[in-house]
Amino acid sequence: MTFTKSEKTSEFIIKSVAPLFNQRGYVGTSMSEITQATGLTKGAIYGNFKNKEELAFEAFAYNVNCVVNLIRDAIKDKPQGLDQLKATVDFYRNYEVYLADLGGCPILNFGVDANHQNPVMLKGVQEIVIKLQGYIVKMLEKGIAEGTIRTGINTAFYAKKLYTLIQGAVFMAFTMEDRNYLEIMMDHVEKLIDLELAV
């Protein structure tokens, strides 16, 4: 697949500003910082994106995609749903290591920022969270079909529960600058999986 010059420029801009938006938020990121990060003029930026809001959301989508790809890498050698679920938990146990280049957790950072500033972007964050919870539902359903996860469980309920526990630990670990929150909660989530979900 070949990209046009405009598409390559857009991709370059997004990659350049993605960590900036993730760390500083939509309001906290100025156009001068965007032009400095990219080495491009304001006109060149707006030649590729209709406004700062569009660029911010594209940067968020890029950051989330990076996280999703890392999770896919973590589970790719795990054929069974239960093993994929546990591999996902292991991934989050070392989450801050994976996020060093991104400037933190994009879902947490962008979600909090959008919740106070921009209802349109907040809706986008909510859609991403639903999508991520959907991945957990698929793992659970796969495990049920394989006979490694109990039948009759409410997969949507457990997807929300597991994701909430994980994201809550991420919030505490980054807010308190203490990865021990991740260790403690991932141990708890693993026990929950063994006690309530695994056959």
Side-chain angles (χ1 to χ4, degrees):
M1 183 178 179
T2 56
F3 293 95
T4 65
K5 184 178 179 183
S6 175
E7 288 171 333
K8 287 179 181 177
T9 303
S10 295
E11 185 182 12
F12 166 75
I13 293 169
I14 291 166
K15 285 183 178 179
S16 300
V17 302
L20 197 60
F21 274 110
N22 198 22
Q23 291 172 324
R24 296 183 177 273
Y26 170 69
V27 174
T29 303
S30 67
M31 276 309 299
S32 63
E33 288 171 320
I34 291 169
T35 56
Q36 187 176 0
T38 58
L40 300 173
T41 64
K42 186 176 177 181
I45 302 293
Y46 284 136
N48 287 273
F49 300 93
K50 61 183 178 183
N51 52 37
K52 182 181 162 188
E53 181 180 275
E54 182 185 36
L55 176 56
F57 195 79
E58 288 295 330
F60 167 66
Y62 171 82
N63 283 330
V64 170
N65 242 5
C66 289
V67 174
V68 170
N69 288 336
L70 287 167
I71 295 172
R72 283 181 180 149
D73 284 345
I75 69 172
K76 68 182 178 184
D77 296 326
K78 310 293 182 183
Q80 293 196 318
L82 180 62
D83 292 333
Q84 290 176 357
L85 197 58
K86 289 188 173 183
T88 301
V89 174
D90 282 339
F91 167 80
Y92 278 103
R93 189 183 294 278
N94 299 295
Y95 196 37
E96 82 286 356
V97 175
Y98 295 112
L99 297 183
D101 293 336
L102 296 181
C105 175
I107 295 139
L108 173 64
N109 293 349
F110 208 84
V112 171
D113 187 49
N115 192 30
H116 296 294
Q117 306 290 344
N118 192 309
V120 175
M121 287 196 285
L122 178 61
K123 189 174 185 301
V125 176
Q126 290 168 342
E127 288 170 0
I128 292 294
V129 169
I130 290 167
K131 189 175 181 179
L132 292 171
Q133 288 174 174
Y135 292 146
I136 298 175
V137 168
K138 286 179 182 176
M139 291 177 200
L140 292 169
E141 290 174 345
K142 183 173 170 56
I144 290 168
E146 293 161 346
T148 55
I149 291 178
R150 295 176 187 179
T151 59
I153 64 163
N154 184 330
T155 56
F157 167 80
Y158 272 102
K160 283 184 177 180
K161 184 174 183 177
L162 294 173
Y163 191 74
T164 299
L165 292 171
I166 289 168
Q167 201 61 36
V170 170
F171 171 81
M172 290 303 295
F174 280 92
T175 301
M176 301 304 293
E177 299 180 333
D178 183 356
R179 73 174 318 277
N180 198 37
Y181 286 98
L182 285 170
E183 288 284 352
I184 292 168
M185 189 50 67
M186 295 314 109
D187 285 346
H188 174 72
V189 171
E190 280 188 353
K191 286 177 185 175
L192 185 154
I193 291 168
D194 288 334
L195 293 172
E196 297 185 28
L197 299 175
V199 171

